[in-house]
């Protein structure tokens, strides 16, 4: 009996299709970030929208209002994401973006075109905010634990490629007639939206979301299709039960939406601290000045360095090539170097790059000012390799399963809120304080270093249940969570239960959950007993020498939930180590 199919695909080809659609969503995200940079000061655009000509405040407003729409979309998913579902959320978001594009390109001169453009950008932003809140979760829940970090880093990396496409499309369109100069780059986004909407109509829903709504028959079919199993096979049933166990242990089984108050709990799970860690990463990304460079690179060159519009566009395109090249490096170093070191290296590199930039602009001489270009190029290289993907990866890892969806939505809201602030104020800062703008960003990046060093625990090569133990260890032993991460050895599957019991994560439910963990453990052991021949031994209750070792409920393998379906504890652990 063949596995069930979606779009005529199953197994690895289906997983690759899911990844391709998810990546397209972030490609569109990157394109949106870069498209206005090349047209906001174009003569043809200023002729159509005269309010933007030589008006830094209006240029900032027209560009940044998009972020307000993105914030609204992310806030909507914070409230309705668990109810709407991953698949319908992505389709709805992309459809709203399509409507926003049509509104923008349909503007007519002498018919209040600026107001229509602003409305279109807000509408499009709402759709993008929905997608950036949903796509990483959907991708993670349909992926194996072994490639979770890589896939989310790839999503972050393709933001750079989307921006690259936007910059060079802007440059090519600048040689065309007036309408082509700005209408075509905006209209081009339709292609990305269509490539998201139509495949998503035929792709499966997240199996974790289906099981959280107790739609087990549909979830069984999705698990079998994505993993390439026969429907109803022992492997598919086992993986389905791993998800159910995890959902029950977190209080999420049959609970259609996690209450917001769960984000503010402390204790051994440290929900609030972990939400702050993920959100602060998004905050630091924005106030570090990334979008000041990405959105306004041509303007920075025109205003600060004195190049003409054509040369500014050309240099902007070259800068985006550098950006894209370095964005791919994170794919190969994120597990080897680790999150903390990448954060620290990126912060230091970005700060020094901004020092180079403002130092070359102080005396106001044209030849010296050209040296500022070096600073902007090195800044975008450091950013692409480190701070571009990490703030999307870190919240997904550091937050526990119970609050992961809502905590990720909060971090996305923080991203868009401060994205708006920076994009709004950058042209005003350039006009009023000149090189002081770059001094400001140099100082803010330097301030990140002590915060990261003292408060960000390392999550590389850790399964999600190990990260839970890190925070429980820090709370129980009254030590910093960075130290707890360093002291906790990398655990084998049979060791995790002992450590989890030692720090109070197994044996009793959390204060806000009525879950009977013992019952779950019994249920899971029954499954393991029935299918041990096919799946291998998954627990070992006879180990000695581990803290708290003995018979009892098994710790929930969150790695299985993050992948959307259980990979099997042993398989997950081998992949993570």
């Amino acid at each position: 009996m063949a596995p069930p199919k979606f779009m005529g695909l199953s197994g690895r080809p289906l997983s690759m299709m899911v990844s391709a659609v998810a990546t397209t969503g972030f490609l569109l995200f990157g394109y949106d970030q870069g498209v206005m940079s090349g047209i906001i000061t174009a003569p043809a655009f200023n002729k159509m929208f005269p309010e933007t000509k030589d008006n830094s405040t209006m240029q900032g407003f027209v560009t940044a209002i998009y972020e307000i729409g993105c914030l609204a979309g992310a806030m909507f998913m914070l409230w309705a994401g668990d109810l709407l579902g991953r698949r319908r959320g992505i389709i709805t978001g992309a459809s709203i973006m399509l409507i926003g594009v049509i509104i923008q390109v349909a503007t007519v001169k002498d018919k209040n075109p600026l107001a229509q453009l602003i409305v279109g950008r807000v509408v499009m932003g709402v759709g993008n905010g929905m997608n950036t809140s949903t796509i990483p979760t959907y991708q993670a829940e349909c992926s194996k634990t072994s490639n979770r970090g890589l896939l989310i880093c790839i999503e972050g990396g393709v933001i750079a490629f989307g921006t690259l496409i936007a910059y060079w499309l802007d440059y090519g369109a600048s040689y065309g007639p007036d309408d082509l100069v700005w209408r075509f780059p905006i209209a081009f986004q339709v292609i990305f939206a269509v490539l998201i909407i139509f495949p998503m109509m035929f792709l499966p829903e997240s199996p974790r979301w289906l099981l959280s709504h107790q739609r087990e028959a549909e979830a069984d079919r999705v698990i079998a299709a994505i993993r390439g199993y026969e429907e109803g096979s022992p492997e598919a049933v086992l993986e389905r039960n791993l998800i159910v166990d995890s959902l029950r242990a977190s209080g999420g089984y049959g609970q259609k939406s996690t209450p917001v108050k769960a984000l503010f709990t402390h204790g051994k799970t440290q929900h609030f601290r972990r939400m702050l860690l993920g959100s602060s990463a998004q905050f630091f990304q924005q106030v570090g000045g990334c979008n000041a460079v990405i959105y306004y690179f041509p303007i920075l060159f025109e205003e600060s360095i004195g190049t003409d519009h054509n040369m500014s566009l050309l240099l902007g395109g070259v800068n985006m090539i550098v950006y894209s090249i370095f964005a791919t490096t994170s794919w190969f170093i994120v597990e080897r170097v680790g999150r903390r070191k990448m954060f620290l290296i990126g912060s230091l590199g970005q700060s020094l790059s901004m020092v180079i930039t403002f130092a070359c602009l102080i005396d106001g001489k044209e030849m010296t000012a050209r040296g500022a270009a070096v600073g902007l190029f090195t800044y975008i290289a450091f950013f692409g390799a480190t701070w571009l993907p990490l703030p999307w990866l870190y919240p997904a890892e550091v937050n526990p399963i119970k609050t992961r969806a809502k905590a990720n939505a909060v971090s996305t809201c923080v991203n868009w809120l401060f994205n708006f602030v920076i994009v709004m104020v950058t042209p005003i800062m350039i006009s009023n304080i000149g090189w002081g703008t770059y001094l400001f960003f140099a100082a803010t990046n330097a301030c990140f270093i002590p915060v990261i060093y003292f408060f960000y625990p390392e999550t590389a090569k850790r399964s999600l249940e190990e990260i839970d133990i890190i925070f429980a260890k820090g709370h129980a032993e009254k030590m910093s969570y960075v130290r707890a991460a360093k002291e906790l050895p990398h655990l084998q599957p049979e060791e995790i239960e002992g450590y989890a019991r030692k720090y109070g994560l197994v044996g009793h439910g959390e204060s806000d959950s009525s879950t009977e963990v013992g019952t779950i453990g019994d249920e899971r052991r029954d499954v393991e007993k029935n299918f041990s021949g096919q799946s291998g031994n998954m627990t070992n209750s006879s180990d000695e020498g581990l803290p708290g070792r003995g018979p009892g409920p098994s710790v929930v393998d969150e790695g299985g939930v993050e992948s959307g379906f259980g990979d099997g504890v042993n398989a997950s652990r081998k992949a993570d180590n």
Side-chain angles (χ1 to χ4, degrees):
M1 185 184 203
K5 297 180 182 292
F6 291 85
M7 293 184 68
L9 304 172
S10 64
R12 181 176 174 82
L14 179 58
S15 297
M16 291 178 67
M17 178 59 69
V18 168
S19 297
V21 175
T23 301
T24 302
F26 270 72
L27 193 68
L28 176 54
F29 172 24
Y31 186 92
D32 290 336
Q33 281 193 314
V35 70
M36 288 301 293
S37 63
I39 63 179
I40 193 69
T41 58
F45 184 83
N46 296 150
K47 182 179 177 181
M48 183 69 177
F49 308 99
E51 298 90 341
T52 63
K53 184 176 176 61
D54 300 324
N55 187 333
S56 59
T57 302
M58 186 55 69
Q59 289 175 358
F61 179 75
V62 170
T63 304
I65 196 65
Y66 170 76
E67 272 70 40
I68 293 297
C70 292
L71 175 62
M75 292 180 69
F76 174 77
M77 294 308 289
L78 175 63
W79 168 69
D82 287 335
L83 298 173
L84 192 60
R86 320 306 188 215
R87 180 172 161 273
R88 284 185 296 177
I90 295 170
I91 293 173
T92 302
S95 300
I96 291 173
M97 293 184 79
L98 192 60
I99 294 171
V101 170
I102 294 171
I103 292 173
Q104 291 178 75
V105 299
T107 54
V108 179
K109 194 173 180 62
D110 300 325
K111 299 293 185 181
N112 206 353
L114 184 63
Q116 184 171 337
L117 178 74
I118 290 172
V119 169
R121 285 187 62 73
V122 171
V123 171
M124 189 167 180
V126 170
N128 192 49
M130 293 175 65
N131 280 351
T132 53
S133 295
T134 309
I135 287 175
T137 303
Y138 178 70
Q139 171 73 88
E141 291 177 350
C142 292
S143 305
K144 293 182 180 180
T145 303
S146 57
N147 58 13
R148 179 189 69 233
L150 173 62
L151 288 174
I152 297 178
C153 273
I154 289 175
E155 283 181 6
V158 299
I159 295 174
F161 286 92
T163 308
L164 172 68
I165 295 171
Y167 264 76
W168 282 105
L169 205 64
D170 283 351
Y171 182 72
S174 68
Y175 288 95
D178 285 358
D179 279 343
L180 183 72
V181 168
W182 67 273
R183 290 187 198 268
F184 179 70
I186 294 175
F188 191 78
Q189 296 168 95
V190 168
I191 295 176
F192 298 114
V194 169
L195 290 176
I196 296 169
I197 294 169
F198 285 102
M200 280 306 304
M201 290 180 176
F202 305 100
L203 287 174
E205 178 56 88
S206 156
R208 180 192 177 278
W209 183 86
L210 290 171
L211 286 171
S212 70
H213 287 67
Q214 298 180 311
R215 293 161 61 174
E216 296 190 2
E218 295 174 70
D220 286 345
R221 183 167 181 262
V222 172
I223 291 170
I226 294 180
R227 296 290 282 156
Y229 297 146
E230 292 182 5
E231 191 170 356
S233 67
E235 297 90 348
V237 172
L238 176 59
E239 293 185 352
R240 187 270 312 277
N241 278 280
L242 286 172
I243 306 173
V244 172
D245 285 356
S246 299
L247 288 169
R248 283 176 172 159
S250 67
Y253 186 68
Q255 184 179 25
K256 294 187 176 181
S257 181
T258 300
V260 174
K261 67 180 182 180
L263 295 172
F264 299 96
T265 57
H266 300 278
K268 60 183 177 291
T269 56
Q270 290 292 304
H271 289 169
F272 184 60
R273 173 182 286 269
R274 295 161 80 170
M275 180 186 71
L276 288 181
L277 285 172
S279 298
S280 66
Q282 293 282 20
F283 169 74
F284 290 163
Q285 184 195 62
Q286 293 306 314
V287 299
C290 64
N291 282 315
V293 177
I294 294 169
Y295 277 74
Y296 295 118
F297 193 91
I299 293 178
L300 298 180
F301 266 74
E302 289 182 47
E303 298 285 336
S304 299
I305 302 177
T307 61
D308 60 34
H309 182 69
N310 183 69
M311 181 56 68
S312 296
L313 285 178
L314 184 59
L315 290 173
V318 173
N319 195 33
M320 288 305 105
I321 293 176
V322 174
Y323 181 32
S324 300
I325 291 172
F326 278 88
T328 63
T329 62
S330 66
W331 307 352
F332 307 103
I333 66 175
V334 67
E335 296 297 342
R336 293 188 179 93
V337 176
R339 285 46 156 170
R340 271 172 57 84
K341 287 183 181 179
M342 286 179 67
F343 273 131
L344 292 168
I345 292 169
S347 299
L348 180 62
Q350 289 176 183
S351 181
L352 293 177
S353 297
M354 286 298 184
V355 169
I356 294 172
T357 302
F358 87 76
C360 291
L361 295 174
I362 291 176
D363 64 7
K365 296 179 181 179
E366 182 178 345
M367 290 302 296
T368 308
R370 292 179 181 177
V374 176
L376 294 177
F377 274 93
T378 57
Y379 174 92
I380 208 67
F382 276 107
F383 174 76
T386 58
W387 276 97
L388 172 63
L390 288 179
W392 299 102
L393 171 60
Y394 201 65
E397 291 186 322
V398 80
N399 286 297
I401 179 141
K402 182 178 180 65
T403 61
R404 187 170 296 130
K406 277 193 162 46
N408 284 349
V410 169
S411 67
T412 304
C413 288
V414 169
N415 178 287
W416 289 118
L417 176 61
F418 286 94
N419 193 324
F420 167 77
V421 171
I422 296 301
V423 172
M424 182 71 198
V425 303
T426 295
I428 301 171
M429 293 172 69
I430 292 293
S431 297
N432 289 280
I433 62 175
W435 60 264
T437 305
Y438 308 99
L439 173 60
F440 169 80
F441 289 128
T444 55
N445 278 281
C447 290
F448 302 159
I449 295 174
V451 177
I452 294 165
Y453 184 82
F454 289 110
F455 295 104
Y456 277 44
E458 181 58 73
T459 58
K461 298 181 181 179
R462 296 282 192 182
S463 66
L464 299 177
E465 66 268 20
E466 283 182 273
I467 297 172
D468 288 338
I469 293 173
I470 287 171
F471 284 93
K473 174 182 172 67
H475 174 73
E477 300 182 7
K478 309 297 182 186
M479 66 171 62
S480 83
Y481 299 95
V482 173
R483 180 183 168 192
K486 290 180 179 178
E487 290 188 359
L488 184 72
H490 287 272
L491 305 177
Q492 296 301 312
E494 57 272 14
E495 296 176 303
I496 292 175
E497 182 184 337
Y499 278 91
R501 183 179 292 107
K502 175 182 178 181
Y503 295 117
L505 292 177
V506 172
H508 53 79
E510 295 179 24
S511 60
D512 56 350
S513 173
S514 60
T515 303
E516 296 181 6
V517 182
T519 302
I520 297 168
D522 294 338
E523 193 175 295
R524 180 168 176 171
R525 280 192 296 274
D526 290 341
V527 176
E528 291 163 1
K529 182 178 179 182
N530 290 337
F531 301 116
S532 59
Q534 291 85 355
S535 303
N537 295 327
M538 299 185 66
T539 58
N540 186 347
S541 60
S542 62
D543 292 288
E544 297 178 357
L546 293 173
R549 173 57 59 193
S554 299
V555 66
V556 173
D557 178 12
E558 286 192 7
V561 176
E562 175 66 14
S563 66
F565 32 86
D567 298 324
V569 180
N570 286 336
S572 296
R573 181 63 53 196
K574 289 176 183 177
D576 285 334
N577 284 322

